[in-house]
Amino acid sequence: MIRRLVSATALTLSCALPVSALDLESMSDAEREAFREEIRAYLLENPEVIMEAVSVLEQREAEAQAQNDQDLVAENADALFNDDSSWVGGNPEGDITLVEFIDYRCGYCKRAHPEVTNLLEEDGNIRFVLKEFPILGEQSVTASRFAIATRQVAGDEAYHSVSEALIAYSGDITEPALRRIAEPLGLPFDEIIAEMGSDAVSEVIETNHALGRALHISGTPSFVMENQMLRGYVPQAEMELIAEDIRNGG
């Protein structure tokens, strides 16, 4: 933190001084020491400058991060928005695409789920892409394998039903638990279980993990809304504002 304060303060002071005054290489030792004392005296008299400088630095860092995220999204746009292995919901013809990286064992994913559902229903013009991204242990992987295998065996509607059940489920992900999820939905449980260990299911998870690494995603939920990365839980109201900004050309 101290290093950030020093860097930020130097940044602010450099904006207020002529270039010639900052040519430390041409200063004598005495001039350099006097310059340091001037800075110290100024900061002691005006400590608020430090926080102003930190604010400037943080704003620049945030802008740089946002630009970097937009570049990452552009570089990986096809894998994000157009792969055949991810379920598509919401309005498939929507003017905005929202992508979510999900882990069914993630508490924040569970918290975000009803808000994302409400957003899609209330907006009505958002295309939604769901990417299986299990990162919280073996039970997360088992849940994702079951969901992906369901889609490959029984199709998109069955996948959506299973995905909804898994995100609402709070117990351990075991075979008996998965059977209790599948049977009321009329799904071919034995076929799905047999498919879970297939190369096709593994490929979906491995591909999503590779995409996550390319986007520097380290947690769930993580979202991409058009060209913007939204890292972590984002309330519905904030997503609505982001969608409005995107539609207004922001």
Side-chain angles (χ1 to χ4, degrees):
M1 181 63 181
I2 296 298
R3 185 175 297 175
R4 283 170 58 84
L5 288 173
V6 172
S7 298
T9 303
L11 172 66
T12 298
L13 291 175
S14 69
C15 294
L17 293 170
V19 174
S20 59
L22 293 176
D23 187 4
L24 299 180
E25 294 296 327
S26 65
M27 287 182 180
S28 66
D29 290 343
E31 288 172 333
R32 195 175 292 113
E33 183 61 29
F35 179 67
R36 293 190 182 110
E37 286 301 319
E38 286 285 340
I39 292 177
R40 182 176 183 276
Y42 178 81
L43 292 178
L44 289 175
E45 293 175 8
N46 304 275
E48 68 277 3
V49 169
I50 295 176
M51 298 314 299
E52 291 174 9
V54 169
S55 178
V56 170
L57 181 63
E58 289 177 342
Q59 181 179 351
R60 291 189 180 184
E61 289 177 342
E63 290 171 353
Q65 180 63 57
Q67 184 58 58
N68 183 63
D69 283 346
Q70 289 184 13
D71 293 342
L72 290 174
V73 170
E75 291 166 8
N76 295 279
D78 199 47
L80 275 166
F81 304 125
N82 301 316
D83 72 301
D84 294 331
S85 63
S86 296
W87 178 82
V88 176
N91 179 353
E93 304 301 323
D95 64 342
I96 288 177
T97 295
L98 173 67
V99 180
E100 179 180 2
F101 290 77
I102 191 172
D103 183 314
Y104 294 114
R105 303 282 289 171
C106 165
Y108 282 103
C109 294
K110 294 178 184 295
R111 180 180 174 185
H113 179 70
E115 298 195 48
V116 172
T117 299
N118 289 341
L119 173 70
L120 299 176
E121 291 176 353
E122 293 172 10
D123 185 285
N125 203 24
I126 296 177
R127 177 176 176 262
F128 181 58
V129 179
L130 189 62
K131 290 190 178 292
E132 300 282 340
F133 197 68
I135 57 174
L136 298 178
E138 285 303 313
Q139 291 193 32
S140 292
V141 174
T142 299
S144 278
R145 283 189 173 276
F146 187 72
I148 297 165
T150 296
R151 183 170 186 252
Q152 294 181 350
V153 169
D156 280 349
E157 185 175 344
Y159 169 84
H160 184 223
S161 297
V162 164
S163 180
E164 292 286 300
L166 286 169
I167 199 64
Y169 187 73
S170 59
D172 288 338
I173 302 295
T174 62
E175 186 167 323
L178 294 175
R179 184 181 292 276
R180 288 194 298 272
I181 288 173
E183 287 185 346
L185 298 173
L187 299 176
F189 180 75
D190 292 338
E191 290 182 45
I192 294 170
I193 290 293
E195 180 66 17
M196 284 176 62
S198 69
D199 290 344
V201 170
S202 296
E203 183 178 354
V204 173
I205 294 175
E206 291 166 3
T207 297
N208 287 348
H209 280 169
L211 178 58
R213 288 191 296 272
L215 295 169
H216 302 164
I217 290 174
S218 58
T220 54
S222 288
F223 300 91
V224 177
M225 185 179 286
E226 286 297 301
N227 65 341
Q228 298 189 36
M229 286 286 307
L230 312 177
R231 299 181 185 275
Y233 165 75
V234 181
Q236 179 183 346
E238 187 173 338
M239 282 200 175
E240 289 171 351
L241 292 176
I242 295 170
E244 181 180 1
D245 185 59
I246 290 171
R247 287 180 173 127
N248 290 333

